[in-house]
Amino acid sequence: GCGLFAAAAVLNHDCRPSADAHLVIEPGAPPALEIRARRRLQAGDQVTVAYAPLYAPGADRRATLREVYRFDCSCARCTAEAG
Protein backbone atom coordinates (compact mmCIF):
# COMPACT_ATOMS: atom_id res chain seq x y z
CA GLY A 1 0.00 0.00 0.00
CA CYS A 2 0.87 3.62 -0.04
CA GLY A 3 -0.24 6.81 1.60
CA LEU A 4 -0.02 10.54 1.19
CA PHE A 5 0.78 12.47 4.34
CA ALA A 6 0.88 16.18 3.51
CA ALA A 7 2.40 17.24 6.85
CA ALA A 8 5.40 14.94 6.29
CA ALA A 9 6.04 16.45 2.87
CA VAL A 10 7.53 19.57 4.47
CA LEU A 11 10.15 17.64 6.48
CA ASN A 12 13.69 18.07 5.23
CA HIS A 13 16.39 15.41 5.16
CA ASP A 14 19.39 15.11 7.45
CA CYS A 15 21.74 12.15 7.98
CA ARG A 16 21.56 12.99 11.71
CA PRO A 17 17.79 13.50 11.82
CA SER A 18 16.00 15.07 14.75
CA ALA A 19 12.93 12.84 14.25
CA ASP A 20 11.70 9.54 12.83
CA ALA A 21 8.52 8.87 10.90
CA HIS A 22 6.42 5.91 12.05
CA LEU A 23 3.43 4.50 10.17
CA VAL A 24 0.63 3.62 12.59
CA ILE A 25 -2.00 1.16 11.45
CA GLU A 26 -4.84 0.30 13.83
CA PRO A 27 -7.94 -1.76 13.04
CA GLY A 28 -10.88 0.42 12.07
CA ALA A 29 -8.82 3.58 11.75
CA PRO A 30 -7.16 5.17 8.75
CA PRO A 31 -3.37 4.87 8.63
CA ALA A 32 -1.55 7.68 10.40
CA LEU A 33 2.01 8.93 10.28
CA GLU A 34 3.59 9.88 13.60
CA ILE A 35 6.69 12.04 13.71
CA ARG A 36 8.66 11.27 16.88
CA ALA A 37 11.60 13.32 18.10
CA ARG A 38 14.88 11.41 18.48
CA ARG A 39 16.14 13.92 21.04
CA ARG A 40 14.88 16.90 23.01
CA LEU A 41 14.13 19.75 20.62
CA GLN A 42 14.18 23.42 21.46
CA ALA A 43 11.88 26.08 20.02
CA GLY A 44 13.18 26.96 16.57
CA ASP A 45 14.97 23.62 15.98
CA GLN A 46 14.34 22.18 12.55
CA VAL A 47 12.48 18.86 12.49
CA THR A 48 14.29 16.60 10.02
CA VAL A 49 14.00 12.96 8.99
CA ALA A 50 16.33 10.65 7.08
CA TYR A 51 15.40 9.94 3.47
CA ALA A 52 18.07 7.22 3.22
CA PRO A 53 19.06 4.39 5.58
CA LEU A 54 21.23 5.79 8.37
CA TYR A 55 23.26 2.57 8.68
CA ALA A 56 24.46 2.81 5.07
CA PRO A 57 28.00 4.04 4.40
CA GLY A 58 28.18 7.73 3.51
CA ALA A 59 28.93 7.18 -0.17
CA ASP A 60 25.93 4.83 -0.46
CA ARG A 61 23.61 7.27 1.35
CA ARG A 62 24.71 10.14 -0.87
CA ALA A 63 24.29 8.00 -4.01
CA THR A 64 20.75 7.05 -2.95
CA LEU A 65 19.84 10.67 -2.24
CA ARG A 66 21.28 11.76 -5.58
CA GLU A 67 19.57 9.01 -7.59
CA VAL A 68 16.19 8.87 -5.83
CA TYR A 69 15.68 12.40 -4.49
CA ARG A 70 17.87 14.32 -6.97
CA PHE A 71 20.00 16.30 -4.51
CA ASP A 72 23.52 16.20 -3.14
CA CYS A 73 23.50 15.96 0.63
CA SER A 74 25.63 18.54 2.39
CA CYS A 75 24.53 17.85 5.95
CA ALA A 76 27.13 17.92 8.76
CA ARG A 77 27.48 14.12 8.80
CA CYS A 78 28.08 13.84 5.05
CA THR A 79 30.47 16.77 5.08
CA ALA A 80 32.47 15.18 7.93
CA GLU A 81 32.52 11.75 6.27
CA ALA A 82 33.58 13.18 2.92
CA GLY A 83 36.63 14.63 4.68
Side-chain angles (χ1 to χ4, degrees), residues 26-75:
E26 295 179 357
L33 190 68
E34 288 184 356
I35 307 301
R36 299 180 191 162
R38 295 172 64 100
R39 58 183 174 271
R40 184 174 296 280
L41 299 174
Q42 302 299 317
D45 286 350
Q46 185 176 26
V47 179
T48 57
V49 294
Y51 294 176
L54 296 175
Y55 57 81
D60 293 347
R61 280 194 327 274
R62 289 187 295 279
T64 296
L65 294 168
R66 190 175 306 110
E67 292 168 14
V68 176
Y69 295 98
R70 304 286 187 220
F71 74 92
D72 292 317
C73 188
S74 59
C75 74

